[in-house]
Amino acid sequence: MSRPVVVQHSAGAPGANGPLTAVRRVLASPLADRYEFVRMHQHAGNGSLNLPLLREWVRLLRRVRPDLVHVRGLQNEGFHGVLAARLAGCPRVLVTVHGTVRDLRQPGRPWRRRLLVHGAEPLTLRLATHVGTVCAYAAGRDFLSDLGAKFVGVIPNGVPLPTRPHAARDRVRAELGLRPDDVAMIAVSRLTWEKGYGVLADAVRRLPPSATRRVLLVAGDGPDRDGIAAALADAGQVEVRLLGNRLDVPDLLAAADLFVFPTLHENLSNALLEAMAYGLPVVASAVGGNVEVLRSGGGRLVPAGDPDALAAALTPLLDDAAERRHVGELGRKVVAEDYGLDVMLGRLDRVYQQILGEGR
């Protein structure tokens, strides 16, 4: 019996976003023995309607005749994926919601925001035959309240749990020029103000003096890199290293002591889960999926946009290695139980089977 053909849609450059990371993990998983996966990837974003891309994807979909097209994201890239699937006559289109333009604090051109919020995003949901979210927070959003039977539930992000999370620690710390007694914070995300880097810059300047050298590692790149670099240039006693877009993030997590995530809005961050899988204690803003991930332990939640609260939460963890280990072990347990790669793959398999079974 032939395997169902499932198209996996994604967009972006390697290391640049969570949905693309999820696709790569799915393709390399045992699910590839159960489904015939076909990639439908877009390397760059769309400024507007991209007719050549639509034609390319429609040709692809008509050729492979998939049983299911899984589109990740709303916004412009997701809209193109869903539209191509419908134009090609695909019978089942699953959209998983990873974020929305509604949440952006600095949305850029107002007309484009309006076009996405009132046009592309609602149309993407309308054209989909099924919709899922990556966290319970997203599932409760008002703009998803009218999905009815389309809604298939929450499909959480999942990350692998390293068996030896500290194996590369000494080597990578030496490569980064970190001394054994340095305390290294790490932030991993796209470099945009939306991720709270302005708040982080203010917070590190508020940290009390310490005899121990503190280092902030920032892994990622993005449109606001220059402004964020300028904001972090005066970081008080904290030494800041902007590492750029990295494909060795697991090694960097192994080398760090604390994960900081001051994002202004979020659904469910792969970077957060990966840091916890490596046993790093977390200080994160109390927004979106961060709250449901950390409610069972693993870190401290602070109000978004509050540098004083962020500094106050960082200080005891920076000063106490035993507390860092204790909190980090709790976080690793949370990921193992609720956000491991096997959890995501199992839930995804059940959703695929549910959707495919409806058409039989």
Side-chain angles (χ1 to χ4, degrees):
M1 184 175 178
S2 61
R3 293 174 295 165
V5 177
V6 178
V7 168
Q8 296 285 334
H9 161 270
S10 57
N17 64 58
L20 178 53
T21 299
V23 169
R24 291 176 178 276
R25 288 172 176 157
V26 169
L27 294 175
S29 78
L31 291 186
D33 296 326
R34 185 162 190 171
Y35 305 96
E36 182 180 342
F37 290 134
V38 176
R39 292 293 303 278
M40 190 169 77
H41 181 70
Q42 176 182 351
H43 293 279
N46 295 306
S48 58
L49 190 64
N50 189 330
L51 292 177
L53 179 70
L54 271 177
R55 285 193 290 267
E56 175 188 339
W57 281 357
V58 168
R59 285 194 298 268
L60 168 69
L61 294 170
R62 286 176 175 166
R63 185 175 74 251
V64 303
R65 299 175 61 85
D67 298 283
L68 172 63
V69 179
H70 184 177
V71 174
R72 289 173 169 83
L74 290 178
Q75 302 185 24
N76 200 281
E77 290 75 24
F79 170 70
H80 278 72
V82 172
L83 183 58
R86 300 304 276 185
L87 290 172
C90 299
R92 305 171 195 89
V93 183
L94 167 65
V95 170
T96 45
V97 178
H98 297 259
T100 170
V101 173
R102 291 164 175 80
D103 291 334
L104 297 182
R105 306 293 183 90
Q106 296 182 332
R109 293 166 290 185
W111 65 267
R112 189 172 189 275
R113 176 193 175 95
R114 289 194 295 271
L115 187 62
L116 290 171
V117 169
H118 301 294
E121 290 193 353
L123 189 54
T124 299
L125 296 170
R126 193 172 303 123
L127 291 173
T129 61
H130 299 80
V131 177
T133 62
V134 294
C135 60
Y137 161 77
R141 299 293 297 271
D142 289 345
F143 73 97
L144 298 177
S145 61
D146 297 328
L147 292 173
K150 277 189 179 185
F151 185 60
V152 296
V154 176
I155 309 169
N157 292 338
V159 299
L161 200 73
T163 55
R164 299 175 61 222
H166 304 298
R169 179 177 174 84
D170 292 342
R171 172 183 61 80
V172 180
R173 284 178 72 90
E175 291 172 357
L176 294 170
L178 297 175
R179 298 189 292 257
D181 59 343
D182 289 345
V183 178
M185 298 174 278
I186 187 168
V188 181
S189 74
R190 192 161 180 258
L191 293 192
T192 70
W193 295 116
E194 303 288 338
K195 294 298 183 181
Y197 282 103
V199 182
L200 180 57
D202 288 340
V204 294
R205 286 192 288 269
R206 288 166 164 78
L207 292 173
S210 172
T212 302
R213 186 170 74 151
R214 296 165 172 168
V215 179
L216 172 62
L217 306 173
V218 179
D221 207 345
D224 298 328
R225 176 188 170 91
D226 291 344
I228 289 169
L232 290 170
D234 178 17
Q237 296 188 14
V238 175
E239 182 178 324
V240 177
R241 312 264 187 90
L242 295 179
L243 304 177
N245 203 31
R246 301 284 292 245
L247 299 180
D248 62 343
V249 169
D251 284 350
L252 298 176
L253 294 174
D257 301 291
L258 173 65
F259 186 78
V260 57
F261 192 46
T263 182
L264 303 181
H265 53 82
E266 196 67 32
N267 278 287
L268 185 59
S269 166
N270 273 296
L272 170 66
L273 299 178
E274 288 167 356
M276 294 171 66
Y278 273 81
L280 292 184
V282 171
V283 177
S285 49
V287 296
N290 293 357
V291 178
E292 57 198 78
V293 171
L294 292 172
R295 65 189 169 196
S296 299
R300 308 284 186 260
L301 290 166
V302 299
D306 188 336
D308 289 316
L310 182 58
L314 286 170
T315 299
L317 288 171
L318 289 169
D319 291 341
D320 190 338
E323 181 67 4
R324 290 197 299 271
R325 285 193 296 272
H326 171 68
V327 175
E329 287 168 2
L330 289 176
R332 186 170 157 86
K333 182 180 179 183
V334 167
V335 170
E337 293 178 352
D338 299 325
Y339 299 101
L341 185 57
D342 58 336
V343 176
M344 178 187 78
L345 294 174
R347 177 60 182 151
L348 191 63
D349 187 25
R350 290 192 293 275
V351 168
Y352 284 176
Q353 290 297 309
Q354 172 191 332
I355 296 172
L356 293 170
E358 292 173 0
R360 294 186 185 128

